[in-house]
Amino acid sequence: MSKLMFLECVNLVGAPPKNYSDEKIYVSTGAVDCNSIDTSQLESVTFKNRPSRANLTVDEGDILFAKMQNTHKVLLVNKQTKEYLYSTGFFAVRPKKEFLTKECLFYLLNSPQFLIQKDKYCSGATQKAITVESLSKLMINVPKISDQGYAVNSLEIVSTLIEKRNQQLEKLDLLIKSNFNEMFVEYDLRNFKSNWAKIGDVAEVVGGSTPKTENYMFWGGPHFWITPAEINEDSFTIERTQRTLTDLGVKSCSLKLLPIGTVLLSSRAPIGKVAIAGIEMYCNQGFKNLICTKALNPIYAYYLLKFNSKFLNSLGRGATFKEISKSIVENILIPVPPIELQNNFARFVEQIEKSKLTIKQSLNQLQTLKKALMQKYFGGGNEITDYM
């Protein structure tokens, strides 16, 4: 392995588009996700009406990476996408064959080690980005050209397995949604029916608060305390929280305990993230949670709200940032099927979640292996965990 200057190993490529009469497909940095192009984000432009940043044409085999700090977007150009028009928010590079294969360069640009180096040299007043001058200072670890084939093959095998695990999780999520659709035909909360119940009639809606952060006597105790930032699209049951409270912290805000099974619903920044409390906990002011009565199964309520996140967002009120109040949540009309039917669905979900847990454990192991391989082939230290 050799430590070399980045621009010693690659050529910067890409040219402004020549005048053209037909429409071109424009790819912004926002349209690239997970090393591929999100076709829903593409835009058709002509030479005259193209955005000012749509000013980069490349060739097959070139590799694009985003200039902005903390933005890890890399795209290998193929036969189809070489005809596209790209944003100047990308740098386009082509490997020098005596140093790098294009496949090895692709993985190098995807490595945490490269991202750390790139971010180190980013500059700018508002949005920090790396410049050509900064790229000339960037050093990279390059495997021997004779070793790059093996390195790429190892990384491709692991990457393929990671992709398969993610696809398996997606299919299981689709299976749950399909089963929900079949069992509960009418669940679009925008099209409410007269026989639906108000949430406030089948659940107690509970919010939370934040004890004074500067008072150390309120923090680090035995009581779990959650914020919306700890919930993502994949959250189901929450078994731990990032912060905890002392007895004094709980009393300082008169917080209400959320029992196991409470449906956690974020009410701002953003609205509509959901999870289920797998432990007793408290929460901050960014929630309007549902403590379900015997008429409402928490798993059914979780998916009902999850599948209606756009509707929940439409109920947001506020000038500076949107929020749904306790009163708004209590008055949302929802279908309440027979509890036996809800319980049947919940048992089905619990079985699927067991399968998902096994897949997630395998996925975590593969991601750890890929991180180790990246470190082996491209060098770096413990700081790589920030980007994996």
Side-chain angles (χ1 to χ4, degrees), residues 23-256:
E23 288 190 343
K24 285 274 190 181
I25 295 175
Y26 168 55
V27 182
S28 66
T29 53
V32 174
D33 183 39
C34 298
N35 305 134
S36 62
I37 295 175
D38 180 356
T39 54
S40 68
Q41 299 292 319
L42 295 179
E43 182 181 353
S44 234
V45 298
T46 64
F47 185 82
K48 291 183 178 180
N49 75 357
R50 73 192 191 281
S52 59
R53 291 176 67 83
N55 204 30
L56 186 65
T57 59
V58 293
D59 204 353
E60 182 182 354
D62 293 341
I63 303 174
L64 298 154
F65 67 92
K67 298 177 180 178
M68 294 81 73
Q69 189 177 57
N70 298 322
T71 304
H72 199 191
K73 298 190 174 186
V74 183
L75 184 69
L76 177 62
V77 179
N78 58 31
K79 288 182 180 179
Q80 178 188 353
T81 57
K82 74 174 183 179
E83 303 298 331
Y84 291 0
L85 189 63
Y86 293 91
S87 167
T88 51
F90 291 109
F91 270 123
V93 292
R94 188 176 300 158
K96 294 180 180 178
K97 294 182 179 179
E98 63 270 29
F99 294 109
L100 282 165
T101 65
K102 65 181 180 182
E103 294 83 6
C104 188
L105 176 59
F106 175 77
Y107 278 109
L108 188 151
L109 293 173
N110 272 288
S111 70
Q113 293 81 6
F114 176 80
L115 185 60
I116 290 168
Q117 287 294 305
K118 189 195 84 169
D119 285 352
K120 177 182 176 182
Y121 289 107
C122 284
S123 60
T126 53
Q127 189 177 49
K128 292 187 177 183
I130 194 163
T131 63
V132 175
E133 182 182 0
S134 298
L135 279 179
S136 67
K137 303 173 185 177
L138 197 151
M139 300 286 293
I140 56 172
N141 292 303
V142 180
K144 293 179 182 179
I145 195 74
S146 57
D147 295 335
Q148 290 180 22
Y150 179 81
V152 168
N153 185 57
S154 300
L155 288 165
E156 283 184 347
I157 290 172
V158 176
S159 298
T160 300
L161 289 172
I162 288 173
E163 184 179 356
K164 286 183 178 179
R165 296 295 178 271
N166 284 319
Q167 289 173 350
Q168 288 171 336
L169 291 174
E170 288 175 8
K171 288 179 180 179
L172 288 175
D173 285 335
L174 287 173
L175 183 60
I176 290 174
K177 187 168 187 179
S178 175
N179 190 271
F180 189 92
N181 290 344
E182 187 177 338
M183 295 180 71
F184 314 108
V185 179
E186 296 178 341
Y187 66 90
D188 187 340
L189 300 187
R190 295 171 299 179
N191 305 320
F192 58 87
K193 303 293 186 295
S194 58
N195 63 338
W196 288 10
K198 291 181 180 180
I199 284 180
D201 292 335
V202 290
E204 181 184 2
V205 179
V206 178
S209 187
T210 303
K212 290 182 179 180
T213 54
E214 65 271 18
N215 192 329
Y216 74 94
M217 296 182 69
F218 292 165
W219 300 93
H223 306 294
F224 294 102
W225 179 83
I226 194 169
T227 69
E230 297 172 59
I231 299 177
N232 56 48
E233 289 185 3
D234 297 326
S235 295
F236 185 54
T237 56
I238 303 295
E239 304 288 346
R240 67 178 66 184
T241 61
Q242 293 176 5
R243 303 191 70 182
T244 58
L245 300 175
T246 62
D247 291 340
L248 285 175
V250 172
K251 290 177 182 178
S252 72
C253 294
S254 301
L255 290 170
K256 182 176 177 63

Side-chain angles (χ1 to χ4, degrees), residues 248-279:
L248 285 175
V250 172
K251 290 177 182 178
S252 72
C253 294
S254 301
L255 290 170
K256 182 176 177 63
L257 182 65
L258 305 175
I260 294 173
T262 299
V263 180
L264 307 171
L265 172 64
S266 67
S267 55
R268 65 181 186 185
I271 297 169
K273 293 201 294 185
V274 288
I276 297 175
I279 51 174

Side-chain angles (χ1 to χ4, degrees), residues 283-302:
C283 71
N284 79 346
Q285 60 275 19
F287 290 95
K288 299 296 180 290
N289 307 306
L290 280 61
I291 301 177
C292 300
T293 66
K294 292 181 179 180
L296 194 64
N297 185 293
I299 293 178
Y300 165 76
Y302 165 89

